[in-house]
Amino acid sequence: LHFDTALQRVVAQMEKSTSDLWLTEGTSTVIPTRVIAPSATDITLNTSTLTLQKGGTGELSAELIPAGSVGEIRWTVENGAGFIGISPSTGTTTTVTGSEISGNTVITVTAHLYVNNVEVTSAKKSCTVRVTPILLSDIVLSATSINLTATNARTQIVTVTVLPDDASNREINVAAVDPSLVSITKVPLSNTRYELRITRATPTSAGMSAVSA
C-alpha cells in the first residue's frame, strides 16, 4: 500500500487509541494506524435528586455517553460541603453520606480528558441532594400521674426519655398548665433523658395541674 503525505500527517496527529492496526504489503515498511475512541459528550446519572436523613447513605452512578467513550469521571460538591460527604471522588459510582447538618446541596459529576496535553471537561451533570433531620417521634415518661399531698414529699421526680436517640433535636420544653399549683425543674441526665422535679407551689396548695412536654 502507498500512503500519501497527507495521510501520514493525520496518523501522526492521532494521540488516543483503543487498538493498533498494522498494515503491510510484501516487504514494505510497516505503518501503524490508530483507532481513536470518541470523547464523552454527555453523562447519564441514576437519579437527579437524592434525599438522605442525617447519617444516611445513598449511591450515585454515572455512565458516559456514547458507550465506549473516554473520560475520567470525577465527583465534586458544588456548595454546602458540610451537609454531605462523598467517597470515592472518582469512578463510575460514589457513596453519599448525610452529615449532622440539614440542608440542600449539589453534587456535580464531570468527564475529563486531555487534548494536546490540555485538560478539558467534555461533559457535566448535577444531582440535587437534600439532607433532612431525624424528627423526634416519641416521649416516654416514668409516670403518667403523681400525687403531691400534704402527707407525702412536696417534690416528686418524673424521668423523661425522648425517642429516637439520634433525633436531630432532642430538646424538650416543659411547663405546668397551672403554675400556681406546681413548679417544675428540668435537669438533663443525658442527650436523650431528663429529670423533672415537680414540686407543690405551697404546702397548702391543692388542686390538679397537668404538665406538658
Side-chain angles (χ1 to χ4, degrees), residues 180-201:
S180 67
L181 297 178
V182 295
S183 63
I184 304 170
T185 302
K186 182 181 70 174
V187 180
L189 301 178
S190 68
N191 288 336
T192 59
R193 297 180 70 243
Y194 299 87
E195 182 179 270
L196 303 183
R197 298 175 182 175
I198 304 173
T199 304
R200 288 172 57 187

Side-chain angles (χ1 to χ4, degrees), residues 1-209:
L1 292 176
H2 299 284
F3 291 84
D4 58 21
T5 303
L7 178 56
Q8 292 179 4
R9 286 200 301 266
V10 171
V11 172
Q13 293 173 358
M14 295 178 176
E15 297 180 348
K16 295 187 177 292
S17 65
T18 56
S19 63
D20 286 342
L21 302 178
W22 299 88
L23 304 179
T24 63
E25 182 174 340
T27 59
S28 61
T29 304
V30 176
I31 301 175
T33 301
R34 294 182 175 182
V35 178
I36 300 177
S39 60
T41 58
D42 197 5
I43 300 176
T44 60
L45 282 173
N46 60 324
T47 181
S48 60
T49 60
L50 184 64
T51 300
L52 303 172
Q53 280 193 325
K54 181 191 72 171
T57 61
E59 186 175 272
L60 293 177
S61 60
E63 181 180 353
L64 299 181
I65 302 297
S69 57
V70 296
E72 181 189 35
I73 296 176
R74 299 179 188 174
W75 305 87
T76 57
V77 182
E78 285 195 346
N79 53 62
F83 298 140
I84 61 171
I86 54 174
S87 180
S89 58
T90 60
T92 57
T93 62
T94 189
T95 298
V96 185
T97 304
S99 72
E100 297 291 317
I101 307 172
S102 302
N104 297 332
T105 187
V106 175
I107 292 177
T108 299
V109 56
T110 50
H112 296 258
L113 70 158
Y114 287 87
V115 176
N116 296 327
N117 294 323
V118 177
E119 184 179 14
V120 298
T121 301
S122 62
K124 176 179 177 180
K125 275 290 173 64
S126 296
C127 175
T128 300
V129 181
R130 182 187 180 198
V131 181
T132 61
I134 299 177
L135 301 179
L136 191 66
S137 61
D138 197 8
I139 298 176
V140 179
L141 302 176
S142 61
T144 56
S145 65
I146 59 173
N147 292 318
L148 299 174
T149 65
T151 58
N152 67 9
R154 288 185 55 197
T155 299
Q156 293 197 34
I157 294 175
V158 175
T159 302
V160 180
T161 303
V162 296
L163 299 173
D165 57 8
D166 60 347
S168 299
N169 185 4
R170 297 180 289 269
E171 180 66 25
I172 62 171
N173 296 316
V174 182
V177 174
D178 188 348
S180 67
L181 297 178
V182 295
S183 63
I184 304 170
T185 302
K186 182 181 70 174
V187 180
L189 301 178
S190 68
N191 288 336
T192 59
R193 297 180 70 243
Y194 299 87
E195 182 179 270
L196 303 183
R197 298 175 182 175
I198 304 173
T199 304
R200 288 172 57 187
T202 65
T204 58
S205 60
M208 297 181 63
S209 180

